[in-house]
């Protein structure tokens, strides 16, 4: 059982690495950002509520997010484990997650922190294109799709995320520093934090994570 949590600033490569890790280890993806984007696309009440915050680069209120994750953990089926991406991102969410894990008899195997400088993040988010159907992530220069503007995996037309416009990107980075960064200490104190240099090719980042997870679990 491998229950992973991936952290990092907006644009650090959490989604990109998650996609690869879940394929490699057959994990279930729990991305609160993807869940909210799907709800917004459907125009559901949760989506309409979340859109007010997401479009501004603000965090959705903790109660709403905690309830969503609780539902997923309570009802999901994780034969090989899960991959949490984008949750928790406040102290209150981290505390809520601990309570849920305890209640459901689960625990985190590792917390991966992908480190990238702000200057690189801005360029990554400006060039990001995503598939609204399967959530695959591309970059116009770093990871272009085979056919322009088209998802390699499912053929859907790629879009730019509404919160990737410069104004909300800057707000997201500011909120990360204020609300989410302090969580690194929370996990570091428990010796669960695995720091990964994210300013390398996505292959190199991926191989480094897999190697470090192997060491942690006592095999290579
Ligand atoms: P969320 O979707 O979680 O966004 P985020 O944390 O801002 O992170 P991103 O998805 O922007 O970046 P990423 O690290 O996944 O990078 P990616 O792999 O795409 O949340 C969005 C919003 O939803 C929040 O702002 C908030 O409003 C709300 N929300 C979500 N969760 C919440 C919660 N728990 N509580 C409250 N509100 C919540 O990569 C970025 C780009 O770089 C891509 O184009 C990619 O192709 C490229 N790239 C990736 N790796 C590399 C590499 N190694 N080299 C070169 N390019 C690369
Ligand atoms: Mg993401």
């Amino acid at each position: 059982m491998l229950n992973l949590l991936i952290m990092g600033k907006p644009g650090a490569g959490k989604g990109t690495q998650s996609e690869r890790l879940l394929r490699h280890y057959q994990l279930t993806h729990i991305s609160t950002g993807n869940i909210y984007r799907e709800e917004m696309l459907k125009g559901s009440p949760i989506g309409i509520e979340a859109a007010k915050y997401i479009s501004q680069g603000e965090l959705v209120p903790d109660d709403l997010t905690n309830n969503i994750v609780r539902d997923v953990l309570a009802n999901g089926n994780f034969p090989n484990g899960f991959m949490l991406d984008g949750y928790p991102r406040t102290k209150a969410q981290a505390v809520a997650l601990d309570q849920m894990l305890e209640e459901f008899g689960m625990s985190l195997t590792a917390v991966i922190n992908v480190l990238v400088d702000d200057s690189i993040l801005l360029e990554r988010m400006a060039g990001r294109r995503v598939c609204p159907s399967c959530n695959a992530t591309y970059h116009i220069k770093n990871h272009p799709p085979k056919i322009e503007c088209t998802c390699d995996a499912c053929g859907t037309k790629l879009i730019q995320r509404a919160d990737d416009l410069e104004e909300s990107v800057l707000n997201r980075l500011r909120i990360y520093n204020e609300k989410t960064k302090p969580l690194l200490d929370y996990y570091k104190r428990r010796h669960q934090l695995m720091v990964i240099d994210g300013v390398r090719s996505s292959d190199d980042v991926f191989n480094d994570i897999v190697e470090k997870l192997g060491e942690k679990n006592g095999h290579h």
Side-chain angles (χ1 to χ4, degrees), residues 107-146:
S107 61
L108 294 176
T109 315
V111 178
I112 301 161
N113 182 36
V114 186
L115 273 178
V116 178
D117 282 348
D118 285 16
S119 56
I120 296 168
L121 297 173
L122 296 179
E123 194 267 328
R124 283 194 186 176
M125 282 183 277
R128 170 163 52 192
R129 299 293 182 272
V130 296
C131 175
S133 170
C134 74
N135 292 312
T137 303
Y138 301 88
H139 188 282
I140 48 175
K141 281 205 290 257
N142 307 338
H143 297 287
K146 292 195 182 79

Side-chain angles (χ1 to χ4, degrees), residues 159-174:
I159 57 165
Q160 190 164 18
R161 269 171 49 175
D163 61 348
D164 274 348
L165 302 174
E166 192 169 337
E167 216 177 75
S168 43
V169 164
L170 293 176
N171 202 28
R172 283 157 64 202
L173 285 171
R174 190 180 60 73

Side-chain angles (χ1 to χ4, degrees), residues 4-220:
L4 302 179
L5 162 52
I6 192 160
M7 298 189 67
K9 290 184 175 181
K14 300 182 293 295
T16 300
Q17 294 304 323
S18 291
E19 265 180 52
R20 306 184 60 156
L21 291 163
L22 32 121
R23 241 179 289 139
H24 186 77
Y25 294 112
Q26 300 291 301
L27 307 176
T28 306
H29 200 188
I30 309 175
S31 160
T32 44
N34 285 353
I35 292 172
Y36 282 133
R37 280 184 288 279
E38 278 157 24
E39 295 298 325
M40 290 191 291
L41 209 62
K42 282 192 276 185
S44 72
I46 287 179
I48 290 167
E49 179 65 15
K52 294 187 212 159
Y53 302 91
I54 295 181
S55 59
Q56 307 297 313
E58 299 285 335
L59 293 180
V60 179
D62 286 337
D63 282 353
L64 183 57
T65 312
N66 288 336
N67 285 335
I68 288 173
V69 174
R70 181 166 224 294
D71 235 39
V72 174
L73 287 177
N75 300 311
N77 180 23
F78 314 105
N80 301 306
F82 58 73
M83 171 92 240
L84 270 173
D85 161 9
Y87 179 93
R89 56 213 289 164
T90 64
K91 180 76 192 299
Q93 291 181 14
V95 171
L97 174 63
D98 280 342
Q99 285 166 354
M100 292 175 214
L101 293 174
E102 195 183 318
E103 184 182 336
F104 302 136
M106 300 166 170
S107 61
L108 294 176
T109 315
V111 178
I112 301 161
N113 182 36
V114 186
L115 273 178
V116 178
D117 282 348
D118 285 16
S119 56
I120 296 168
L121 297 173
L122 296 179
E123 194 267 328
R124 283 194 186 176
M125 282 183 277
R128 170 163 52 192
R129 299 293 182 272
V130 296
C131 175
S133 170
C134 74
N135 292 312
T137 303
Y138 301 88
H139 188 282
I140 48 175
K141 281 205 290 257
N142 307 338
H143 297 287
K146 292 195 182 79
I147 303 165
E148 209 179 324
C149 296
T150 308
C151 180
D152 291 349
C154 71
T156 305
K157 190 174 171 349
L158 301 179
I159 57 165
Q160 190 164 18
R161 269 171 49 175
D163 61 348
D164 274 348
L165 302 174
E166 192 169 337
E167 216 177 75
S168 43
V169 164
L170 293 176
N171 202 28
R172 283 157 64 202
L173 285 171
R174 190 180 60 73
I175 288 173
Y176 172 89
N177 285 325
E178 184 187 321
K179 302 259 175 68
T180 310
K181 203 169 168 216
L183 292 187
L184 296 175
D185 269 340
Y186 184 80
Y187 290 112
K188 196 169 164 191
R189 268 187 260 121
R190 303 188 192 175
H191 309 288
Q192 282 184 310
L193 198 64
M194 182 182 284
V195 181
I196 301 285
D197 171 11
V199 192
R200 294 176 287 174
S201 72
S202 92
D203 282 352
D204 286 355
V205 175
F206 173 73
N207 290 330
D208 192 13
I209 295 174
V210 170
E211 191 177 316
K212 289 207 168 86
L213 285 172
E215 284 167 15
K216 195 177 159 69
N217 290 325
H219 49 79
H220 294 265

